[in-house]
């Protein structure tokens, strides 16, 4: 009898919690009202089964409760009941799955006039790419990833030279225009998700997935990764800015294409042009074969993007998975074991080459070892040093 009462109370409490709960879906900002409708159908069907099954169990517990002098009748099978259960379950499953199948078929079949944008995920940051004036995206391969090529475009493909590359976690899109999203991952399984758009899709390493949507509300919306992609998963955030066509076109025109990015950030090894002999030659800053400080900093910035460092380390002081690089150089870091050390070139080299040797207090030992050449380490150190922001970078580079 007590169990029957518990079941009835549980059902009533669950229904009241759903009705009175302050947590609701974010306001819809795309054309995918069908997603909300499908979710509503799922909630109604599963809710009806939840209420019906538990109330039925409660009734059975009360109706056939133990009574002195009475024995339960044993019935090993009941064909009529089995047929009703099979039929009811079949109808319920069809009602759950059929609407979703129709919606998904439309979800992956974009209109012919949809604008194409590629989203690239890596631990733990986002990158984006738009076709250039030729209207075609160039081919890609992860083996091409490097300084000046964070998304791994094929340098030999002429269709990719005018592709617009966005390395910041902010994506701009035009209002009321269908968008076809191509998705790929550089490392592990990710999921591109913008809750107000009701749009998401897995990003599987080694393949390209896609979906489409039309933004219907102007504004700024959060980008989330909806797959557990590692310990820094929670920090894999970004923004979609939806604006009118004129504002979007202006923003896109200000972005860098692949050809210009390669010129601005040449490969590290190729940047070491010999310096002419003369006054100052052989000094630490201008020794033969050394890159200029400005070139090293630019190489380090490109490496930080291509290697995914920016996914954990900010350069604006914002908190992240790892320590921010803003003002880090010259600062004294305290480690988890209570020891401390001043952040200089030697400190940065050690942390980059062997990140697990010492763990900075307040952070987790999650940074993986990366295969880096000596010149790449030097470029990263120069870039981090340049973020000191108080003259320390210039002093250290002299």
């Amino acid at each position: 009898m007590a169990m029957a009462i518990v079941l009835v109370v549980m059902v009533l409490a669950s229904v009241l919690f759903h009705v009175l709960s302050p947590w609701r879906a974010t306001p819809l900002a795309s054309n995918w009202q069908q997603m909300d409708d499908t979710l509503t159908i799922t909630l109604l069907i599963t809710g009806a089964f939840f209420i019906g099954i538990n109330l039925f169990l409660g009734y059975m517990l009360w109706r056939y409760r133990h009574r002195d002098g009475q024995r339960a009748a044993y019935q090993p099978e009941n064909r009529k009941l089995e047929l009703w259960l099979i039929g009811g379950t079949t109808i319920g499953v069809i009602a759950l799955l059929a609407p979703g199948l129709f919606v998904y078929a439309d979800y992956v079949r974009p209109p012919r006039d949809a604008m194409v944008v590629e989203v690239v995920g890596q631990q733990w940051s986002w990158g984006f790419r738009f076709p250039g004036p030729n209207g075609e995206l160039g081919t890609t391969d992860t083996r091409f990833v490097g300084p000046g090529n964070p998304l791994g475009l094929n340098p030999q493909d002429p269709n990719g030279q005018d592709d617009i590359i966005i390395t910041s976690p902010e994506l701009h899109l035009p209002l009321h225009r269908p968008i076809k999203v191509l998705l790929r991952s550089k490392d592990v399984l990710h999921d591109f998700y913008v809750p107000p758009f009701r749009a998401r899709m897995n990003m599987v390493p080694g393949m390209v997935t896609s979906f489409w949507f039309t933004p219907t509300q102007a504004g700024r919306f959060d980008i989330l990764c909806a797959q557990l992609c590692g310990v820094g998963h929670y920090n894999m955030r970004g923004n979609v800015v939806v604006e009118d066509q004129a504002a979007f076109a202006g923003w896109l025109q200000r972005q860098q294409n692949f050809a210009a990015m390669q010129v601005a950030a040449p490969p590290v090894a190729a940047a070491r042009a010999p310096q002419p002999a003369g006054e100052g030659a052989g000094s630490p800053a201008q020794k033969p074969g050394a890159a200029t400080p400005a070139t090293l900093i630019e190489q380090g910035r490109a490496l930080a993007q291509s290697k995914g460092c920016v996914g954990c380390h900010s350069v604006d002081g914002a908190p992240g998975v790892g320590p921010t690089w803003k003002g880090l150089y010259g600062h004294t870091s305290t480690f988890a074991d209570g020891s401390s050390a001043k952040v200089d070139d030697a400190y940065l080299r050690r942390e980059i080459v062997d990140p697990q040797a010492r763990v900075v207090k307040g952070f987790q030992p999650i940074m993986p070892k990366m295969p880096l050449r000596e010149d790449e380490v030097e470029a990263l150190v120069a870039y981090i040093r340049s973020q000191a922001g108080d003259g320390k970078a210039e002093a250290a580079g002299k």
Side-chain angles (χ1 to χ4, degrees):
M1 186 67 177
M3 184 59 72
I5 295 174
V6 169
L7 286 172
V8 173
V9 171
M10 181 185 69
V11 170
L12 292 175
S14 298
V15 173
L16 285 174
F17 179 80
H18 176 73
V19 173
L20 302 177
S21 172
W23 296 289
R24 292 285 183 263
T26 54
L28 183 66
S30 80
N31 58 308
W32 285 114
Q33 178 64 47
Q34 293 166 284
M35 294 291 184
D36 286 356
D37 295 341
T38 303
L39 179 60
T40 300
I41 292 172
T42 302
L43 284 172
L44 289 174
I45 293 175
T46 56
F49 272 87
F50 171 78
I51 294 171
I53 290 173
N54 282 286
L55 291 181
F56 176 74
L57 286 175
Y59 171 74
M60 289 294 103
L61 289 170
W62 172 80
R63 175 69 177 81
Y64 298 104
R65 64 191 183 276
H66 174 72
R67 293 186 179 91
D68 293 335
Q70 294 187 355
R71 298 183 63 185
Y74 173 64
Q75 190 174 359
E77 62 180 55
N78 186 319
R79 280 183 167 273
K80 186 177 181 181
L81 178 60
E82 289 174 3
L83 289 174
W84 273 103
L85 288 174
I86 293 172
T89 302
T90 302
I91 292 172
V93 171
I94 292 173
L96 282 171
L97 295 181
L101 293 175
F102 285 106
V103 173
Y104 187 80
D106 190 23
Y107 187 62
V108 295
R109 189 170 54 234
R112 291 182 179 271
D113 61 342
M115 185 182 73
V116 176
V117 59
E118 181 186 60
V119 179
V120 181
Q122 73 175 82
Q123 293 174 314
W124 291 280
S125 62
W126 301 102
F128 310 98
R129 180 167 63 125
F130 290 89
N134 68 2
E136 294 186 39
L137 289 173
T139 56
T140 62
D141 195 298
T142 53
R143 71 175 184 269
F144 296 127
V145 173
N149 194 358
L151 303 187
L153 275 68
N154 183 355
Q156 305 304 319
D157 187 349
N159 288 329
Q161 294 299 313
D162 63 349
D163 287 357
I164 308 299
I165 309 298
I166 313 298
T167 55
S168 72
E170 184 170 286
L171 171 66
H172 288 233
L173 294 175
L175 186 64
H176 299 307
R177 182 172 177 183
I179 308 294
K180 178 182 178 181
V181 185
L182 304 176
L183 305 112
R184 60 188 176 90
S185 170
K186 290 164 61 175
D187 39 41
V188 300
L189 185 67
H190 298 287
D191 191 300
F192 180 76
Y193 180 36
V194 183
F197 295 164
R198 307 300 191 265
R200 55 175 290 185
M201 180 66 73
N202 279 342
M203 308 169 74
V204 184
M207 66 182 293
V208 176
T209 54
S210 67
F211 68 94
W212 76 278
F213 67 95
T214 301
T216 57
Q217 297 289 333
R220 178 182 292 268
F221 307 100
D222 288 335
I223 300 173
L224 310 175
C225 179
Q227 286 286 358
L228 184 58
C229 57
V231 292
H233 160 72
Y234 73 93
N235 201 49
M236 193 168 174
R237 308 290 291 270
N239 293 286
V240 174
V241 177
V242 179
E243 54 198 0
D244 60 69
Q245 180 63 41
F248 167 75
W251 172 83
L252 191 63
Q253 192 173 17
R254 295 191 297 271
Q255 307 308 309
Q256 201 172 36
N257 64 26
F258 178 54
M261 181 174 286
Q262 287 181 299
V263 172
V268 176
R272 297 181 165 275
Q275 300 294 322
E279 186 177 351
S283 65
Q286 296 184 357
K287 61 185 178 182
T292 64
T295 303
L296 271 180
I297 291 172
E298 182 57 32
Q299 292 165 357
R301 182 194 64 79
L303 275 168
Q305 291 174 346
S306 65
K307 297 294 185 181
C309 307
V310 293
C312 298
H313 303 279
S314 71
V315 294
D316 59 1
V321 177
T324 180
W325 288 348
K326 182 179 181 180
L328 177 64
Y329 195 89
H331 175 73
T332 298
S333 287
T334 303
F335 302 104
D337 61 4
S339 62
S340 61
K342 186 177 180 179
V343 180
D344 54 15
D345 286 19
Y347 172 101
L348 292 175
R349 286 175 180 277
R350 179 175 178 181
E351 295 303 312
I352 292 171
V353 173
D354 191 5
Q356 303 293 330
R358 300 182 297 183
V359 180
V360 177
K361 186 176 181 180
F363 297 93
Q364 297 298 317
I366 62 175
M367 180 174 167
K369 271 192 175 184
M370 292 182 291
L372 294 169
R373 300 190 306 270
E374 175 59 29
D375 52 356
E376 291 178 325
V377 174
E378 183 180 348
L380 283 171
V381 170
Y383 179 59
I384 299 172
R385 188 171 59 231
S386 72
Q387 305 303 312
D390 57 0
K392 294 175 183 175
E394 292 79 0
K398 292 180 181 179

